[in-house]
Amino acid sequence: MAERKPITSWLTDMDGVLIHEGTPIPGADAFIKRLRDSGLPFLVLTNNSIYTARDLHARLQRMGLDVPVENIWTSALATAQFLDDQRPGGTAYVIGEAGLTTALHDIGYVLTDHDPDYVVLGETRTYSFEALTKAIRLINAGARFICTNPDETGPSAEGPLPATGSVAALITKATGKDPYFAGKPNPLMMRTGLNAIGAHSETSAMIGDRMDTDVLAGLEAGMQTFLVLTGLTTVADIDRYPFGPSHVVESIADLVSLVDLPDQADQPTTGSRD
């Protein structure tokens, strides 16, 4: 196997890697500080389309994690970038929150329920029967179906909540039309993120806690992948998949030293699968 180039840019998932249920994971603050001190390009990614990057910056800052707005990349931003490339200045009927509607407004999209080019489904805590019915009818009338991410459930203090992927399945069942998912594991989200920070996949790494989104997206985008065990995936889960991460580490704390020593990123001292 060819030797990997040194890591000169980093992408990391947020939930399960940097924070867990609103609390920073030990080592997350040191990792972000090291990234900022190093001057290396980096992004914090999330499939959650509810919040704007500015919202997430404020939420993370309250937890002691100082991530600049320009270093946050959401599935809503990836979706907006995709639509801007496909049909600049288009129209869309949107089911979602401010993170998604703001991203679409920022690219000049008109949000309408009158003969839109797209129906765009994002995450919200207030899915309504009326809105879903309208989306189904618009798709049946010819609107293209776009979804921010395929996550089937999301976390809450009371337990799992139905998320975008589950609602998309309902619409697909009613229309016979599958959506195009812009978020992870679609490598599109990674590639547009890399473009946003001027980075190249050959010298980039993706850190995540999920095999089916983070690791898969990083793999398909051509990056090194680091799986942390502070989220949804356990060591026992890894072999259930036909692909594997480049490296497995206990937590983000194990990666802090690799930021200043990128030439050692392909030889971590903890949990390598090489």
Side-chain angles (χ1 to χ4, degrees), residues 2 10-11 31 38 40 42-43 56 79 81 111 174 179 185-186 218 262 268:
W10 293 83
L11 276 63
F31 183 76
S38 73
L40 295 175
F42 73 95
L43 282 178
L56 290 172
T79 300
Q81 180 66 64
L111 308 188
N186 188 344

Side-chain angles (χ1 to χ4, degrees), residues 217-233:
L219 172 71
E220 292 189 343
M223 294 186 281
Q224 285 197 60
T225 55
F226 289 82
L227 178 72
V228 296
L229 302 177
T230 48
L232 294 176
T233 304

Side-chain angles (χ1 to χ4, degrees), residues 5-8 10 40 257-266:
K5 293 184 178 180
I7 297 171
T8 57
W10 293 83
L40 295 175
S257 64
L258 297 188
V259 174
D260 279 347
L261 302 172
D263 57 317
Q264 295 181 14
D266 58 342

Side-chain angles (χ1 to χ4, degrees), residues 75 78-79 81-83 86 118-121 144-150 164 168 172 177-183 185-189 192:
S75 65
T79 300
Q81 180 66 64
F82 170 74
L83 293 179
Q86 290 286 305
Y118 299 96
V119 166
V120 183
L121 176 68
R144 299 162 183 82
F145 186 18
I146 304 294
C147 195
T148 57
N149 68 84
T164 319
T172 293
K177 302 287 180 61
D178 292 318
Y180 180 81
F181 293 105
N186 188 344
L188 173 81
M189 183 170 177
T192 53

Side-chain angles (χ1 to χ4, degrees), residues 4-36:
R4 295 297 301 244
K5 293 184 178 180
I7 297 171
T8 57
S9 55
W10 293 83
L11 276 63
T12 176
D13 187 38
M14 186 170 66
D15 293 307
V17 178
L18 300 178
I19 61 175
H20 178 68
E21 295 183 355
T23 302
I25 289 172
D29 55 345
F31 183 76
I32 294 298
K33 184 178 186 303
R34 183 69 66 90
L35 282 173
R36 297 196 65 181

Side-chain angles (χ1 to χ4, degrees), residues 226-227 229 246-251 253-255 257-258 264-265 267-274:
F226 289 82
L227 178 72
L229 302 177
S246 306
H247 312 286
V248 180
V249 295
E250 288 296 324
S251 77
D254 297 311
L255 301 179
S257 64
L258 297 188
Q264 295 181 14
Q267 296 179 346
T269 57
T270 307
S272 173
R273 286 175 60 88
D274 296 349

Side-chain angles (χ1 to χ4, degrees), residues 83 87-94 108-112 114-120:
L83 293 179
R87 188 178 289 255
T91 59
Y93 176 68
V94 177
Y109 257 55
V110 173
L111 308 188
T112 179
H114 178 69
D115 192 27
D117 297 318
Y118 299 96
V119 166
V120 183

Side-chain angles (χ1 to χ4, degrees), residues 63-80:
M63 299 178 205
L65 302 178
D66 191 10
V67 182
V69 172
E70 59 270 22
N71 293 104
I72 297 173
W73 192 246
T74 71
S75 65
L77 293 171
T79 300

